[in-house]
Amino acid sequence: MDEHSAAPVVVGYDASEPADVALAWAAREARTRGAVLRVVYVRDAHDTGVAARPHGEDLGERGDGGAWPVVEEAAARARDVAPGVSVETFVEYASPSAALVGMSADAGALVLGATRHGGLYEAIRGTVVLQVTAHAHCPVVVVPAEGPRTDLPPDAPVAVGFDGSEQSAVALDAAVDAAWELGRALRVVVVWRPGVTEWVTSRGPTEHEAHDITEADAGPVLQHALARVEERLRERGASEGALEVLGETREGQVVRVLHREAEGAERLLLGTRGRGGFASLLLGSATHTLVRTAACPVVVVRAPGAVEATT
């Protein structure tokens, strides 16, 4: 019997700076959860060379011994960052997206580094991040390339966007669990947009993310969210008031409002839309944007069957 009862935390690693940032975050998260950390280095199925040269970058002596020394070095770094964490290493020769989605099947979370903008390899990596986020079987955490902010107060909340949909309800449940386990406040944000003109605009491909909520609807939607939070906490055996819960309705565009929320949050949880085969549609345009630009780690939670039902 494995001594770890929590599902493993998987981190995709490719020896890049964003991957190192994601590795450190994943190591701490695995230790917090009491879970095994699985470090996965994926090499293209057609890569027959011995030296490890992720994205064509010459790693020098680090890469001359092949993939295993690189991934073992990553494991050692994870143990330094989070002493006591149990680490397993994997090297997969396959499509990066397919390999990571496969590794997500029994994972509690899959952690990836966000991409910086510009350059062919960054564009390729960005495609992988979006594909994995859209299709993974577990929550996917995308960590900013520059790393989470270090100047946040110790009581920075877990934030979640809620719009009353099934997808956002699943994200809300996961946010409650995360806040409870981390001992942080939970911040629930409902975004509403005024006027028919903005409602029509929101149906366009760059703005539409969730159920469009009017000012009149925002209050009831938030109350529904807070009632669900209370129910979730009761299921966990929490006493009344054991978790600080903050609820707010905000006017504006979903991306802009949640982007501001991310600046002061420890993490931001979002649901996926599950609407089609393109990553931006599968995720919803707001989620698609926030995983690339948010200042804090973004956790994308998919409702069971959301992708399968549309493919």
Side-chain angles (χ1 to χ4, degrees):
M1 177 69 70
D2 193 332
E3 64 177 320
H4 298 279
S5 58
V9 173
V10 176
V11 58
Y13 185 77
D14 62 6
S16 65
E17 291 182 10
D20 283 332
V21 171
L23 174 73
W25 193 95
R28 297 187 183 98
E29 182 75 4
R31 183 177 62 179
T32 297
R33 296 183 180 211
V36 171
L37 175 66
R38 292 179 176 172
V39 183
V40 185
Y41 181 12
V42 184
R43 298 185 67 171
D44 190 274
H46 303 292
D47 185 357
T48 58
V50 175
R53 301 180 186 278
H55 306 307
E57 179 183 355
D58 187 354
L59 299 179
E61 293 182 359
R62 287 181 63 204
D64 289 344
W68 281 107
V70 172
V71 77
E72 291 297 343
E73 178 185 293
R77 187 177 298 113
R79 295 186 185 98
D80 288 341
V81 169
V85 69
S86 178
V87 185
E88 299 174 351
T89 54
F90 298 81
V91 174
E92 300 285 337
Y93 288 83
S95 156
S97 300
L100 292 170
V101 169
M103 292 290 293
S104 74
D106 66 344
L110 172 59
V111 183
L112 302 171
T115 61
R116 293 188 172 93
H117 300 292
L120 174 61
Y121 289 116
E122 288 302 327
I124 293 172
R125 177 210 288 275
T127 300
V128 171
V129 169
L130 292 175
Q131 288 176 341
V132 172
T133 304
H135 293 282
H137 303 285
C138 68
V140 176
V141 186
V142 183
V143 182
E146 295 76 17
R149 290 177 53 184
T150 58
D151 59 346
L152 288 175
D155 59 348
V158 171
V160 58
F162 184 77
D163 62 17
S165 67
E166 177 188 0
Q167 292 86 354
S168 70
V170 174
L172 179 64
D173 290 346
V176 173
D177 294 343
W180 177 253
E181 291 163 4
L182 293 169
R184 293 179 177 271
L186 173 67
R187 185 173 179 81
V188 184
V189 182
V190 174
V191 183
W192 60 274
R193 295 173 63 103
V196 175
T197 301
E198 287 204 44
W199 182 88
V200 173
T201 302
S202 74
R203 310 308 290 187
T206 61
E207 290 298 335
H208 176 64
E209 163 65 2
H211 298 306
D212 293 283
I213 298 173
T214 66
E215 183 176 11
D217 292 333
V221 169
L222 178 59
Q223 291 307 311
H224 173 66
L226 298 179
R228 188 180 181 102
V229 169
E230 291 182 3
E231 181 181 356
R232 186 75 173 183
L233 288 171
R234 284 196 297 269
E235 291 173 355
R236 296 189 65 102
S239 59
E240 185 176 353
L243 178 69
E244 182 181 3
V245 181
L246 310 169
E248 185 173 358
T249 62
R250 297 282 300 278
E251 175 188 354
Q253 296 174 347
V254 174
V255 171
R256 294 178 182 176
V257 171
L258 293 183
H259 196 279
R260 289 194 295 270
E261 291 294 332
E263 293 176 354
E266 189 274 339
R267 67 187 68 186
L268 171 66
L269 283 88
L270 302 170
T272 63
R273 299 301 298 162
R275 300 178 72 83
F278 296 100
S280 61
L281 296 180
L282 264 171
L283 294 177
S285 61
T287 303
H288 180 276
T289 300
L290 288 163
V291 297
R292 295 181 291 120
T293 63
C296 72
V298 175
V299 185
V300 181
V301 186
R302 180 167 63 84
V307 173
E308 289 82 356
T310 59
T311 55

